[in-house]
């Protein structure tokens, strides 16, 4: 690489370079390394290159280029010190502290703990504290070594530091250890949501909860005893903080217990938070006790980065969020089937503000750990129960005793073998369905008019297809929530959602037909069989209602957006743009679904004909260029789109209102009923608003006897976070 | 097309970059781009693009040859699949914005990519960068996904895509799996 001046070894910085060099060889010598000065050879070699010429092998990727550092650039070179600045942070961690200072430090490190939860690295939060640094480095071999004096023999006195602050810090570090380990044992968005790096430090992972709790108790006993040492408010503030630490530490511990006791610990933490808030004002700031310089002692290649600061109020708000969500996560244990569990997970994870990573991992560990679902079921039990509820009520295929059969000639042995294969690989459902019907002696449905035409139930494929459709709907709906679609795409994406929901409706009908057929063929169903069929039909009924509600609402909004585009109040769906065609943009949008062979993605011409892409081009948004719309034109075409929207939205409202009245057991939302109801209520509100928008539009049209409707109506698109429900983007339409 | 493009100042020249121009322009390019960054790029990042795809880089220069705007891109097969163009950096000097300069720069880089047989073109921008989003959307880009906490400052990005050709073979590859390092760290 030529042009060495760009490498920032500028003459005026020479003295710094020397300073830098004088340290380096010393460190190397310790490791018995030989260093050779290659500066002159390097200059000679570099002079053979032109400026800008790059020596790069094919493995040097953009990733490496972005990661490359420039020596002597203060923002990139971690060893560079501005002249006069010391390497070490000079703060005396052994100095006597006032009670107010102890409170101040405790509250500050709590803020750091929260910024770490929010996704910032420890190097820019907790590890900038001189107290934490002293406890953790050098790595303590025993808990006793993890103290502020380190090698020195502890002198008497200064208990506020050695007993109280130390216990608090130990409790906090251990809490972080549990939190980090539970996150690392689950799936999460690495890097993006949470930084696990410890920079070669340890978080007291060798020491147990009991020992550290004891330290906290000793500290509490000390503060309670020393009535002469400080005023009551300070004593109480310290006691609250220590108690809170102890409680939080127990709440996050990793002992694999799944019970509601744990929820009570979280509740206990929540109850203490107001006290922390009220007494924060007793704390004295201790700015000097933390510094970005401590980052230089960490195993990290980047220069010190700024400390991430949040206010104590914000930290407490995050903390309350963690405690509430921690408590609520245990409600998942009330889910008693896969369908309830699914509703719980979806509803819980979509609460706003979004639960932090630790909480999401906590929920995951409750849902599934040590090969158990919710601590009780095996995965197989969960799956079979779900097969039974959706497609196979009281069917021999899901009979749990099948796996006890050892005789290969017994059909149940064969069934068990094939079902296991499906459950573990989830592949080739159709092939397994075809093989299984030999053993179940399935009677296909024959049409009376065409007895040669037979229909088989394909239960496992049906089950998989049901969830596939459901996921595709969610994927499209997430796009609305994340504001991925542009205004001109809304009519199309709501049409696609409508299309998916109606495909699911047809599929539910197919499943129902086969279950009904099978029930009819059971001469005298037992109580158990009846119960199983009843549960399955109840699921199918509710799924029908829900799919129909989504279908109508989506259809209504699709038409409403088409209407607005028709009038030129919003850009026409997929209008032509300089570097793109409507068909290419459609292809790009449906790309994620192309590898899903069934349901097939509608072709562009089909899609275009459904979304009123025939909308005349009217230079949307540019009133000076538009051609006037006559009243007749408006009435004939726009009104008819509006009428369809009107009907669909009325039906949607009826459906969503019925959904909101469903019992928790029917709606499969046991455990999360309150959140689920809130969410449905918001959809009902969105639906009512959409109906009002239609009424406003209709009125404007009928009033627009001589005027252009576009001069009467005004449209505003609402941001996703201001909507009643992020999946239903009802625009605001008003008369000017 | 846009209002902005129509009112672009005529006295600007749009010049294609070439390695021979590094001495004259590179430090100005770095300066212009860094103004909107909280973390600087090392010189390797610039050379990585400019050395390999100098012809995709365009500069807007005023009459005194001052750098007013720049776009830096690359073009290569995307994980063995389609030929993918990628707009890595784009900036226009404060005081010159809103006049269609960036639009013109982007059009120039797009034209070369298309001429060089690009199948698709991608880029990322911060979800709050209204000007950039509007610019790309008007040219026909779609938001293909939201990238959660993509930038160092914790902000999310939108990935924008423009399909130049239909190419069914490319549907096979997995667009989702590989996390790409943000080429554009957040503004401060
Ligand atoms: C993004 C940037 C390159 C745009 O440069 P520019 O020359 O102003 O762009 P153009 O004039 O071609 O087009 C910008 C469009 O956005 C609009 N715009 C600008 N700021 C806007 C805002 N805050 N809200 C809405 N629209 C805005 C402009 O009016 C213009 O649209 P118009 O033609 O309809 O009027 C420039 O703002 C910039 O350098 N920003 C900092 C670096 C950056 O963010 N780069 C992009 C990273 S992907």
């Amino acid at each position: 690489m030529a042009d060495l001046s760009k490498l920032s070894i500028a003459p005026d910085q020479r003295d710094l370079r020397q300073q830098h060099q004088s340290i380096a060889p010393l460190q190397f010598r310790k490791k018995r390394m030989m260093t050779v000065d290659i500066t002159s050879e390097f200059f000679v070699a570099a002079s053979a290159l032109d400026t800008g010429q790059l020596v790069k092998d094919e493995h040097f990727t953009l990733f490496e280029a972005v990661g490359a550092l420039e020596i002597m650039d203060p923002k990139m070179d971690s060893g560079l010190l501005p002249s006069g600045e010391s390497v070490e942070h000079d703060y005396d961690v052994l100095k006597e502290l006032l009670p107010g200072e102890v409170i101040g430090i405790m509250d500050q490190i709590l803020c750091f703990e929260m910024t770490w939860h929010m996704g910032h690295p420890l190097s820019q939060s907790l590890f900038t504290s001189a107290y934490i640094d002293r406890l953790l480095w050098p790595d303590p071999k025993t808990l006793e070594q993890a103290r502020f004096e380190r090698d020195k023999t502890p002198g008497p006195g200064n208990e506020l530091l050695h007993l109280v602050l130390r216990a608090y810090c130990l409790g906090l570090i251990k809490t972080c250890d549990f939190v980090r380990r539970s996150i690392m044992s689950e799936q999460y968005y690495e890097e993006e949501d949470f930084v696990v790096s410890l920079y070669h430090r340890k978080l007291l992972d060798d020491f147990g909860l009991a020992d550290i709790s004891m330290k906290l108790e000793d500290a509490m006993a000390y503060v309670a005893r020393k009535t002469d040492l400080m005023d009551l408010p300070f004593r109480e503030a310290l006691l609250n903080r220590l108690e809170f630490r102890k409680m939080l530490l127990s709440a996050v511990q990793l002992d694999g217990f799944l019970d509601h006791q744990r929820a009570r610990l979280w509740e206990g933490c929540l109850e203490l938070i107001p006290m922390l808030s009220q007494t924060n004002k007793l704390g004295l700031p201790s700015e000097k006790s933390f510094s970005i310089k401590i980052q230089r002692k960490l195993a990290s290649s980047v220069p010190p980065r700024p400390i991430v600061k949040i206010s104590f109020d914000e930290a407490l708000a995050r903390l309350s969020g963690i405690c509430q969500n921690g408590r609520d996560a245990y409600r998942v244990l009330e889910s008693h089937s896969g369908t309830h569990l699914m509703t719980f997970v979806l509803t819980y994870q979509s609460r706003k503000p979004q639960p932090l990573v630790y909480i999401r991992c906590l929920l995951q560990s409750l849902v599934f750990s040590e090969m158990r679902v919710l601590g009780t079921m095996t995965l197989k039990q969960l799956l079979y129960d779900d097969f039974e509820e959706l497609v196979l009520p009281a069917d021999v295929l899901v009979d749990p005793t099948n796996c006890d059969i050892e005789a290969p000639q017994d059909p149940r042995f064969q069934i068990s073998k094939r079902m296991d294969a499906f459950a573990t690989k989830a592949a080739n459902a159709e092939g397994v369905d075809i093989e299984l019907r030999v053993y179940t002696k399935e009677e296909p449905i024959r049409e009376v008019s065409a007895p040669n035409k037979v229909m088989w139930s394909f239960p496992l494929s049906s089950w998989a297809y049901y969830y596939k459709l459901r996921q595709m709907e969610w994927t499209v709906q997430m796009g609305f929530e994340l504001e991925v679609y542009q205004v001109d795409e809304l009519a199309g994406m709501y049409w696609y959602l409508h299309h998916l929901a109606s495909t699911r409706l047809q599929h539910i009908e197919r499943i129902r037909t086969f279950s009904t057929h099978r029930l009819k063929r059971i001469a005298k169903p037992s109580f158990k069989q009846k119960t199983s069929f009843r549960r399955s039909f109840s699921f199918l009924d509710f799924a029908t209602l829900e799919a129909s509600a989504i279908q109508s609402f989506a259809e209504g909004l699709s038409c409403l957006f088409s209407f607005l585009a028709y009038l030129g109040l919003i850009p026409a769906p997929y209008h032509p743009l300089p570097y793109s065609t409507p068909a290419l943009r459609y292809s790009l949008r449906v790309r994620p679904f192309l590898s899903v062979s069934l349901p097939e993605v509608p072709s562009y011409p089909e899609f275009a004909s459904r979304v009123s892409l025939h909308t005349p081009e009217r230079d949307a948004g540019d009133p000076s260029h538009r051609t006037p719309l006559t009243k007749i034109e408006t009435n004939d075409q726009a009104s008819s789109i509006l009428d369809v929207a009107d009907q669909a939205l009325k039906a949607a409202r009826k459906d969503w209102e019925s959904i909101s009245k469903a019992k928790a057991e029917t709606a499969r939302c046991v455990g999360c009923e309150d959140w689920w109801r809130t969410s449905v209520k918001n959809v009902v509100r969105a639906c009512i608003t959409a109906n009002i928008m239609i009424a406003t539009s209709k009125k404007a049209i009928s009033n627009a006897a001589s005027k252009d409707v576009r001069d009467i109506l005004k449209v505003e698109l609402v941001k996703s976070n201001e909507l009643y429900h992020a999946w239903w983007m009802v625009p605001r339409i008003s008369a000017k | 097309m846009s209002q902005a493009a129509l009112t672009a100042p005529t006295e600007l020249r749009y010049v294609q970059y070439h390695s021979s121009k590094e001495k004259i322009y590179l430090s100005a390019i770095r300066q212009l781009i860094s103004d909107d960054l909280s973390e600087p790029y090392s010189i390797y990042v610039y050379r990585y693009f400019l050395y390999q795809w100098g012809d995709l880089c365009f500069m807007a220069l005023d009459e005194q040859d001052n750098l007013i705007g720049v776009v830096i891109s690359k073009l290569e097969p995307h994980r063995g699949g389609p030929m993918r163009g990628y707009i890595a950096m784009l900036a226009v000097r404060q005081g010159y914005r809103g006049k269609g300069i960036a639009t013109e720069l982007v059009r120039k880089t797009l034209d070369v990519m298309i001429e060089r047989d690009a199948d698709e073109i991608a880029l990322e921008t911060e979800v709050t960068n209204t000007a950039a989003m509007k610019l790309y959307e008007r040219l026909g880009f779609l938001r293909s996904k939201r990238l959660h906490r993509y930038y160092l400052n914790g902000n999310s990005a939108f990935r924008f895509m423009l399909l130049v050709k239909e190419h069914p073979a490319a549907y096979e590859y997995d667009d989702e799996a590989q996390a790409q390092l943000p080429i554009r760290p957040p503004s401060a």
Side-chain angles (χ1 to χ4, degrees):
Chain A
M1 174 87 59
D3 194 8
L4 284 171
S5 69
K6 288 286 178 333
L7 290 176
S8 309
I9 310 180
D12 56 340
Q13 286 173 320
R14 224 12 83 86
D15 54 338
L16 291 172
R17 183 168 54 132
Q18 277 151 6
Q19 185 186 328
H20 197 68
Q21 278 173 345
S22 65
I23 304 169
L26 265 176
Q27 287 169 346
F28 283 164
R29 217 168 292 146
K30 270 193 213 146
K31 291 183 189 161
R32 293 166 184 274
M33 221 185 252
M34 261 249 298
T35 61
V36 180
D37 185 349
I38 57 160
T39 313
S40 51
E41 282 94 329
F42 184 73
F43 271 94
V44 172
S47 66
L49 296 170
D50 282 337
T51 304
Q53 203 174 341
L54 194 69
V55 181
K56 135 183 184 333
D57 67 26
E58 56 185 303
H59 303 296
F60 188 85
T61 62
L62 178 56
F63 192 85
E64 273 93 22
V66 172
L69 299 174
E70 268 174 69
I71 305 301
M72 302 306 284
D73 182 309
K75 281 191 168 169
M76 298 188 228
D77 185 346
S78 61
L80 179 71
L81 282 181
S83 42
E85 205 197 304
S86 64
V87 185
E88 291 282 332
H89 173 49
D90 42 13
Y91 174 82
D92 178 14
V93 291
L94 294 179
K95 75 167 195 172
E96 292 236 7
L97 295 173
L98 297 168
E101 287 176 315
V102 175
I103 294 170
I105 295 165
M106 287 176 169
D107 288 357
Q108 180 55 54
I109 57 177
L110 176 80
C111 291
F112 288 151
E113 183 185 16
M114 290 304 119
T115 54
W116 177 59
H117 269 282
M118 288 157 62
H120 299 285
L122 283 172
S123 61
Q124 284 168 267
S125 55
L126 209 51
F127 284 178
T128 59
S129 159
Y131 292 101
I132 301 290
D133 178 57
R134 184 61 71 87
L135 291 178
L136 295 183
W137 195 255
D139 190 22
K141 299 286 172 281
T142 62
L143 190 56
E144 285 323 304
Q145 274 180 18
R147 56 174 198 238
F148 300 124
E149 320 86 317
R150 299 306 300 228
D151 310 340
K152 293 191 206 124
T153 30
N158 210 356
E159 278 89 356
L160 269 184
L161 175 74
H162 297 310
L163 205 59
V164 179
L165 183 59
R166 174 175 174 239
Y168 187 87
C169 290
L170 293 177
L172 186 142
I173 297 166
K174 189 68 197 172
T175 305
C176 293
D177 177 44
F178 284 137
V179 164
R180 181 174 169 275
R181 279 197 272 158
S182 73
I183 291 176
M184 288 181 62
S185 62
E186 298 294 336
Q187 302 285 328
Y188 66 104
Y189 299 104
E190 196 177 357
E191 297 285 301
E192 287 152 24
D193 273 358
F194 191 77
V195 185
V196 293
S197 179
L198 295 181
Y199 313 95
H200 288 185
R201 303 234 151 148
K202 286 170 144 190
L203 296 175
L204 305 176
D205 42 354
D206 297 334
F207 315 117
L209 169 91
D211 291 342
I212 292 173
S213 284
M214 201 111 79
K215 298 276 178 234
L216 285 160
E217 276 164 29
D218 291 348
M220 282 154 75
Y222 172 81
V223 176
R225 203 167 58 232
K226 287 287 175 180
T227 47
D228 53 329
L229 198 71
M230 54 192 141
D231 292 342
L232 187 63
F234 286 97
R235 287 219 329 269
E236 283 185 351
L238 287 173
L239 281 172
N240 278 326
R241 278 160 180 72
L242 293 164
E243 194 184 342
F244 174 80
R245 252 317 129 196
K246 190 167 164 259
M247 189 95 75
L248 185 62
L249 182 60
S250 318
V252 300
Q253 68 182 298
L254 303 165
D255 55 6
F257 279 147
L258 301 184
D259 62 36
H260 291 279
Q261 283 305 328
R262 203 47 89 66
R264 271 185 219 126
L265 287 172
W266 286 111
E267 184 69 45
C269 293
L270 261 179
E271 282 162 11
L272 284 167
I273 290 178
M275 300 293 275
L276 300 183
S277 167
Q278 286 154 23
T279 52
N280 172 250
K281 58 179 184 296
L282 298 176
L284 295 171
S286 174
E287 294 280 337
K288 292 211 176 84
S289 77
F290 47 93
S291 160
I292 59 167
K293 287 186 186 179
I294 296 174
Q295 292 178 30
R296 291 214 174 85
K297 297 168 70 183
L298 303 174
S300 162
S301 62
V302 292
R305 289 236 170 92
I307 296 176
V308 182
K309 288 189 180 153
I310 54 170
S311 68
F312 191 64
D313 285 343
E314 188 183 349
L316 286 190
R318 295 288 182 166
L319 184 62
S320 310
I322 293 178
C323 297
Q324 275 168 24
N325 287 328
R327 174 196 63 195
D328 293 346
Y330 287 84
R331 284 166 54 178
V332 74
L333 302 177
E334 293 166 33
S335 318
H336 52 76
S337 78
T339 47
H340 288 275
L341 178 58
M342 180 87 85
T343 317
F344 188 96
V345 172
L346 286 170
T347 323
Y348 181 92
Q349 303 283 44
S350 59
R351 294 210 289 170
K352 302 268 159 34
Q354 193 194 29
L356 290 169
V357 186
Y358 167 67
I359 289 297
R360 302 207 300 271
C361 291
L362 172 67
L363 181 68
Q364 276 183 49
S365 69
L366 295 174
V367 171
F368 186 67
S369 62
E370 305 192 359
M371 299 312 287
R372 294 273 153 184
V373 178
L374 302 175
T376 52
M377 283 175 270
T378 60
L379 268 181
K380 182 170 163 177
Q381 282 168 333
L382 177 82
L383 263 182
Y384 279 39
D385 182 62
D386 208 53
F387 295 153
E388 180 171 353
E389 183 165 356
L390 261 63
V391 287
L392 290 167
D395 195 279
V396 61
L397 292 184
V398 291
D399 184 342
T401 59
N402 289 347
C403 62
D404 301 333
I405 311 290
E406 281 166 21
Q409 64 277 21
D410 188 323
R412 286 178 298 163
F413 175 87
Q414 300 293 341
I415 288 174
S416 168
K417 215 173 94 185
R418 283 168 180 78
M419 289 293 285
D420 275 351
F422 175 71
T424 48
K425 293 206 202 73
N428 189 17
E430 274 165 46
V432 179
D433 278 330
I434 291 170
E435 280 175 35
L436 281 172
R437 66 190 184 221
V438 178
Y439 302 103
T440 57
K441 304 211 161 56
E442 180 177 346
E443 244 342 282
I445 296 183
R446 287 173 210 278
E447 278 180 40
V448 192
S449 54
N452 287 338
K453 220 179 128 204
V454 294
M455 289 201 316
W456 298 96
S457 68
F458 284 99
L460 300 179
S461 329
S462 280
W463 177 86
Y465 187 57
Y466 181 84
Y467 279 114
K468 190 152 75 168
L469 286 168
R470 200 70 191 86
Q471 284 195 34
M472 289 172 75
E473 286 169 51
W474 285 326
T475 308
V476 174
Q477 290 184 309
M478 287 294 287
F480 295 112
E481 180 167 349
L482 297 175
E483 298 183 317
V484 165
Y485 313 129
Q486 282 147 226
V487 185
D488 65 310
E489 294 183 85
L490 295 175
M493 292 320 286
Y494 276 115
W495 177 79
Y496 190 46
L497 178 62
H498 150 88
H499 173 73
L500 290 170
S502 54
T503 310
R504 181 158 63 101
L505 268 180
Q506 288 161 20
H507 185 56
I508 298 169
E509 273 325 293
R510 186 182 189 281
I511 296 173
R512 191 197 304 276
T513 307
F514 282 97
S515 291
T516 312
H517 172 70
R518 211 158 45 76
L519 178 60
K520 276 197 202 126
R521 295 172 51 84
I522 302 176
K524 223 170 170 289
S526 68
F527 176 74
K528 212 173 141 214
Q529 283 172 319
K530 277 191 203 150
T531 313
S532 180
F533 272 97
R534 205 176 299 128
R535 176 168 84 132
S536 186
F537 286 128
S538 133
F539 175 83
L540 297 177
D541 289 345
F542 189 72
T544 303
L545 177 61
E546 185 203 42
S548 141
I550 294 173
Q551 175 192 247
S552 319
F553 201 169
E555 184 184 12
L557 285 185
S558 173
C559 291
L560 182 56
F561 283 113
S562 289
F563 163 77
L564 295 174
Y566 183 85
L567 292 183
L569 289 167
I570 58 170
Y574 292 88
H575 55 291
L577 286 170
Y579 284 85
S580 159
T581 65
L584 282 171
R585 270 181 292 155
Y586 175 73
S587 297
L588 183 62
R589 185 52 79 211
V590 295
R591 203 188 229 186
F593 299 123
L594 289 177
S595 56
V596 178
S597 49
L598 259 185
E600 258 177 57
V601 172
S603 70
Y604 178 71
E606 186 195 348
F607 172 80
S609 70
R610 303 295 176 137
V611 191
S612 312
L613 290 180
H614 48 268
T615 309
E617 266 176 53
R618 278 212 191 81
D619 309 290
D622 186 357
S624 60
H625 287 115
R626 73 192 188 190
T627 41
L629 267 183
T630 63
K631 179 169 180 284
I632 299 181
E633 208 184 348
T634 319
N635 275 346
D636 282 2
Q637 315 227 11
S639 298
S640 69
I641 310 178
L642 208 52
D643 286 340
V644 182
D646 191 21
Q647 274 183 4
L649 288 170
K650 283 201 175 106
R653 179 175 172 174
K654 227 175 98 227
D655 283 348
W656 282 105
E657 277 170 351
S658 314
I659 291 178
S660 74
K661 292 188 192 107
K663 290 202 179 73
E665 193 54 53
T666 313
R668 269 64 180 175
C669 66
V670 166
C672 61
E673 188 180 342
D674 44 352
W675 314 324
W676 179 83
R677 285 204 191 283
T678 309
S679 164
V680 171
K681 207 195 279 164
N682 286 333
V683 181
V684 173
R685 282 198 186 123
C687 199
I688 292 173
T689 314
N691 276 291
I692 296 172
M693 298 304 135
I694 296 281
T696 308
S697 309
K698 284 190 136 180
K699 203 163 147 221
I701 289 190
S702 64
N703 287 349
S706 54
K707 268 183 160 174
D708 191 319
V709 186
R710 289 167 294 175
D711 294 329
I712 300 176
L713 281 181
K714 202 175 99 200
V715 186
E716 252 178 291
L717 291 154
V718 187
K719 278 197 149 47
S720 139
N721 56 358
E722 290 164 17
L723 291 163
Y724 280 123
H725 195 286
W727 288 358
W728 302 104
M729 307 190 85
V730 181
R732 227 173 263 146
I733 303 174
S734 53
K736 275 191 201 162
Chain B
M1 37 157 297
S2 79
Q3 300 276 310
L6 291 173
T7 55
T10 41
E11 61 284 9
L12 289 186
R13 289 183 299 127
Y14 292 89
V15 180
Q16 196 170 30
Y17 183 87
H18 187 268
S19 292
S20 59
K21 297 176 180 163
E22 158 149 354
K23 276 213 170 96
I24 317 168
Y25 295 117
L26 185 58
S27 64
I29 292 177
R30 275 188 93 173
Q31 189 57 51
L32 184 58
I33 305 257
S34 317
D35 281 350
D36 293 293
L37 298 179
S38 60
E39 308 271 333
Y41 291 136
S42 76
I43 189 142
Y44 285 101
V45 178
Y46 294 92
R47 289 199 172 129
Y48 176 84
F49 287 105
L50 294 177
Y51 182 68
Q52 300 182 84
W53 298 279
D55 58 338
L56 295 179
C57 165
F58 285 89
M59 302 178 290
L61 304 173
D62 71 4
E63 282 151 342
Q64 286 82 45
D65 271 1
N66 295 311
L67 186 75
I68 305 300
V70 67
V71 63
I72 296 178
S73 314
K74 66 172 180 155
L75 176 68
E76 59 186 341
H78 181 69
R79 275 178 263 159
M83 195 60 159
R84 184 186 273 197
Y86 178 75
I87 301 179
M89 305 179 207
L90 170 70
V92 169
R93 223 159 97 179
Q94 295 266 2
Y96 291 81
R97 293 182 185 174
K99 297 178 159 70
I101 300 172
T103 305
E104 191 54 32
L105 288 166
V106 170
R107 295 191 75 139
K108 292 229 171 329
T109 196
L110 292 181
D111 290 341
V112 180
M113 288 178 189
I114 292 165
E115 194 184 296
R116 286 180 48 183
D117 225 20
D119 293 310
E120 58 188 32
I121 294 151
L123 62 104
E124 289 94 30
T125 173
E126 216 170 305
V127 295
T128 51
N129 194 340
T130 327
M133 295 200 293
K134 198 166 163 193
L135 183 166
Y136 291 117
E137 281 166 12
R138 261 183 354 214
L139 290 173
F141 282 81
L142 277 192
R143 303 176 188 184
S144 75
K145 63 172 69 160
R146 196 184 181 105
L147 305 161
H148 178 66
R149 294 183 68 126
Y150 185 66
Y151 295 112
L152 273 173
N153 63 4
N155 284 354
S156 300
F158 280 119
R159 156 115 6 100
F160 276 88
M161 291 283 292
L162 179 77
L163 216 56
V164 182
K165 293 184 214 153
E166 295 267 9
H167 42 88
Y171 295 140
E172 304 297 321
Y173 76 95
D174 175 18
D175 190 32
E176 324 296 312
Q178 187 194 332
Q180 226 191 342
L181 197 75
I183 172 60
R184 195 185 160 75
S187 36

